[in-house]
Amino acid sequence: MEAAHTDTTGAAGTPTPATSQAPAPAATARLTVHSPQEMQELGRALARLLRPGDLVMLTGELGAGKTTLTRGLGEGLGVRGAVTSPTFVIARVHPSLTGGPALVHVDAYRLGGGLDEMEDLDLDVSLPESVVVVEWGDGKVEDLTDDRLHVVIDRVVGATDDDRREVTLTGVGARWEGVDLKLG
């Protein structure tokens, strides 16, 4: 895993324009991941930054590595159970084996109704004491909290066996101000 181009913005003391309703990014980092093993390793590294109440939104095409990253998060958080895609169950809860936060893994791919459908999952109840990871959550879960970590995974498209991924980490909201997302 290597840092391609890394920016950290919004450090304490930096004025933030109040021109939009959406919270401004507090920190951003861009990384290049070369294999599924490195993606899982990135998840383990990210887990060290997470705490109860954190919302992590994962964005990327099918096969980009969202579940692989989440598997690494689960390992890093020390949770019970194999982290697999929750596509057909919508959400899985993985309790902590170490006294830390549980991991709530949600696949919002089949949910089209935005936050209304997400409310049926009671994520707002789970969020304060858990780390909630939502695959395909764009436009669906942003209203759960002003603070979130948005992970965008871009992969090489077409008929290729190139496992390289460009990963952009964006911390949004006061929770992420001053957090170093470079992980290096």
Side-chain angles (χ1 to χ4, degrees), residues 98-151:
T98 63
L103 172 66
V104 178
H105 185 199
V106 179
D107 186 330
Y109 183 75
R110 298 190 190 289
L111 301 178
L115 193 58
D116 290 340
E117 280 188 355
M118 296 302 287
E119 283 179 351
D120 291 341
L121 299 176
D122 287 333
L123 293 181
D124 53 339
V125 172
S126 301
L127 188 58
E129 68 272 355
S130 304
V131 170
V132 176
V133 176
V134 181
E135 297 185 27
W136 305 99
D138 284 355
K140 299 175 184 172
V141 297
E142 290 88 343
D143 289 337
L144 286 174
T145 178
D146 287 339
D147 301 309
R148 60 190 166 275
L149 179 63
H150 193 176
V151 180

Side-chain angles (χ1 to χ4, degrees), residues 64-88:
K66 297 178 297 296
T67 300
T68 301
L69 179 79
T70 305
R71 188 172 300 118
L73 287 172
E75 289 174 5
L77 291 171
V79 300
R80 184 180 73 214
V83 175
T84 59
S85 178
T87 298
F88 296 106

Side-chain angles (χ1 to χ4, degrees), residues 1-183:
M1 175 173 51
E2 63 188 49
H5 167 71
T6 305
D7 297 318
T8 302
T9 57
T14 304
T16 305
T19 57
S20 84
Q21 291 180 335
T28 301
R30 291 176 184 82
L31 309 163
T32 300
V33 175
H34 296 94
S35 67
Q37 295 79 16
E38 283 189 16
M39 186 65 76
Q40 201 161 335
E41 188 178 304
L42 174 60
R44 286 190 295 272
L46 276 174
R48 292 191 292 269
L49 298 177
L50 298 176
R51 60 187 189 206
D54 282 344
L55 172 65
V56 180
M57 291 175 44
L58 301 180
T59 301
E61 297 180 30
L62 287 171
K66 297 178 297 296
T67 300
T68 301
L69 179 79
T70 305
R71 188 172 300 118
L73 287 172
E75 289 174 5
L77 291 171
V79 300
R80 184 180 73 214
V83 175
T84 59
S85 178
T87 298
F88 296 106
V89 296
I90 309 298
R92 284 196 167 96
V93 178
H94 299 274
S96 176
L97 295 171
T98 63
L103 172 66
V104 178
H105 185 199
V106 179
D107 186 330
Y109 183 75
R110 298 190 190 289
L111 301 178
L115 193 58
D116 290 340
E117 280 188 355
M118 296 302 287
E119 283 179 351
D120 291 341
L121 299 176
D122 287 333
L123 293 181
D124 53 339
V125 172
S126 301
L127 188 58
E129 68 272 355
S130 304
V131 170
V132 176
V133 176
V134 181
E135 297 185 27
W136 305 99
D138 284 355
K140 299 175 184 172
V141 297
E142 290 88 343
D143 289 337
L144 286 174
T145 178
D146 287 339
D147 301 309
R148 60 190 166 275
L149 179 63
H150 193 176
V151 180
V152 177
I153 305 170
D154 291 310
R155 67 180 182 92
V156 178
V157 294
T160 179
D161 56 355
D162 189 343
D163 286 334
R164 187 173 25 118
R165 307 290 194 258
E166 300 298 325
V167 181
T168 304
L169 309 169
T170 304
V172 177
R175 152 67 176 105
W176 296 99
E177 286 181 15
V179 174
D180 184 2
L181 295 175
K182 291 182 266 193
L183 303 172

